[in-house]
Amino acid sequence: MINEVSPSVTTDHQGRLAYLPDDLLPKELVGPIFEKAQESSLVLRMAQQIPVGYGETVIPVNTKRPEVGQVGTGTSNAEREGAKKPTSGVAWGSRSFSPIKLATIVTVSEEFARSNVNGLYTQIQSDLAYAIGRGIDLAVFHGKQPLTGTALSGIDTANVLANSTNSVTFGTDIVEDLLAGYDLVADTHEFDGWAADTRFRGKLARAMVQRDVNGNVADPASLNLASQNGSLLGFPVQFGRAVGGDLGLATDSNIRLIGGDFSQLRYGYADQVRVKVSDTATLLDGTTPVSMWQTNQIAILIEVTFGWVVGNLGAFTKFSEPVTP
């Protein structure tokens, strides 16, 4: 050993870590330092919350608002005094929707929970809340569930943003494509924002960055690829992977951007997100019942009854990348 005084043989030595058997060396455990940061729900960031019941929720929709007209035949007192005021009318329609329930159960051993090594048991509860956010986003943007990747049952497909018939496929000029998609909405709705796939940040930045006559970036400080939000063509943009749709077992849709009038998107909870913990429940493993009490396990359940509605899918445009053969 380096600079070791005598005695310095394996059976008779100075106190050095190098001589200790591996099983006597203390092991340092750290948390999951390479885990990705969990992004917050796009829907909860961009949509407006409304009251939602356990049954059907009905929302009145204005289909005709009052309009004003000129009184009289001109601008002088003689032409307007005593003239009849015009009348106009109003009309309403309605949109209705029913909520879905999202839930999952995770089990751990009692020993795992009591030890809570590096807070991993505690982390599970925040991971479950994260899973609810992902489930909400995938439901609203693509009408699917992350656990299986399959379509949700019984929902109104007119409430799924990816089902908008306003569609643009990106070509060589991203800015021109964005403007074309904007025009599809702006004639009849108040365009107010974008939801963008996080993977599309680089292409958006290259398309939107200002360059000088030499091709250099004019203002490097204006490039910010770290933020979950920003601005695109003057409208706020929020980033999240749910736009593409490949969450859990759901597959990528190639949609990279959805823009439009997000005031048309409303969501709500029939109940609050609930977490339940039980060491006496019996769960089914396929068709086999498993007793938590008999096997010293703990079951952690998270669930929420959630609903959403899109006033008019025509208020949104989806932007997709070309499908690679």
Side-chain angles (χ1 to χ4, degrees):
M1 299 300 165
I2 299 173
N3 295 324
E4 184 184 9
V5 300
S6 181
S8 57
V9 294
T10 303
T11 57
D12 187 11
H13 52 74
Q14 309 302 313
R16 296 292 184 96
L17 287 177
Y19 289 116
L20 287 179
D22 286 344
D23 58 355
L24 294 183
L25 290 173
K27 295 175 174 60
E28 186 68 30
L29 297 177
V30 298
I33 60 175
F34 295 112
E35 290 294 326
K36 293 181 181 178
Q38 297 180 354
E39 64 184 17
S40 60
S41 167
L42 271 175
V43 172
L44 273 56
R45 277 185 272 154
M46 302 190 72
Q48 298 180 38
Q49 188 170 358
I50 58 172
V52 170
Y54 281 103
E56 186 178 44
T57 298
V58 179
I59 301 174
V61 178
N62 285 99
T63 59
K64 173 65 178 176
R65 287 187 169 92
E67 303 286 3
V68 297
Q70 185 177 14
V71 177
T73 58
T75 59
S76 69
N77 288 333
E79 291 170 317
R80 65 174 182 265
E81 282 184 328
K84 292 181 179 179
K85 277 73 172 178
T87 61
S88 64
V90 294
W92 291 273
S94 65
R95 286 299 310 276
S96 62
F97 65 98
S98 297
I100 62 173
K101 178 172 281 192
L102 299 172
T104 192
I105 299 173
V106 174
T107 65
V108 300
S109 69
E110 288 188 359
E111 293 84 355
F112 179 90
R114 284 196 299 269
S115 300
N116 195 22
V117 178
N118 292 295
L120 293 180
Y121 174 63
T122 304
Q123 179 67 32
I124 287 176
Q125 295 197 25
S126 63
D127 286 343
L128 288 172
Y130 170 55
I132 289 290
R134 284 162 60 94
I136 288 172
D137 280 356
L138 193 59
V140 173
F141 279 89
H142 293 277
K144 296 180 179 181
Q145 49 190 312
L147 183 62
T148 62
T150 57
L152 294 167
S153 301
I155 65 169
D156 184 351
T157 56
N159 287 330
V160 176
L161 296 184
N163 289 342
S164 173
T165 57
N166 295 331
S167 180
V168 173
T169 299
F170 284 117
T172 57
D173 191 334
I174 289 180
V175 175
E176 186 59 38
D177 293 334
L178 292 174
L179 292 173
Y182 168 82
D183 288 340
L184 292 175
V185 170
D187 284 346
T188 53
H189 294 89
E190 295 295 327
F191 196 106
D192 64 8
W194 315 84
D197 193 307
T198 53
R199 291 165 291 192
F200 205 58
R201 289 175 187 266
K203 290 184 179 179
L204 282 178
R206 292 185 186 95
M208 305 305 299
V209 69
Q210 298 295 318
R211 298 182 181 273
D212 60 24
V213 292
N214 298 317
N216 299 316
V217 176
D219 182 16
S222 66
L223 286 173
N224 183 3
L225 299 182
S227 175
Q228 279 193 324
N229 53 62
S231 177
L232 178 62
L233 295 178
F235 295 108
V237 55
Q238 300 279 349
F239 291 95
R241 200 174 183 90
V243 177
D246 48 337
L247 300 179
L249 292 184
T251 56
D252 185 11
S253 68
N254 264 39
I255 296 175
R256 294 293 176 258
L257 196 70
I258 292 180
D261 180 2
F262 281 88
S263 71
Q264 292 286 314
L265 174 60
R266 307 295 174 95
Y267 76 94
Y269 302 103
D271 47 40
Q272 293 302 308
V273 178
R274 299 184 307 284
V275 176
K276 301 177 182 177
V277 180
S278 174
D279 60 0
T280 60
T282 296
L283 304 182
L284 288 178
D285 182 11
T287 58
T288 304
V290 178
S291 166
M292 297 294 100
W293 179 84
Q294 192 174 26
T295 57
N296 274 5
Q297 294 189 76
I298 296 174
I300 311 162
L301 162 72
I302 191 167
E303 64 179 339
V304 67
T305 304
F306 162 85
W308 80 98
V309 63
V310 177
N312 189 330
L313 268 184
F316 297 91
T317 297
K318 59 186 178 187
F319 299 79
S320 303
E321 289 190 298
V323 176
T324 303

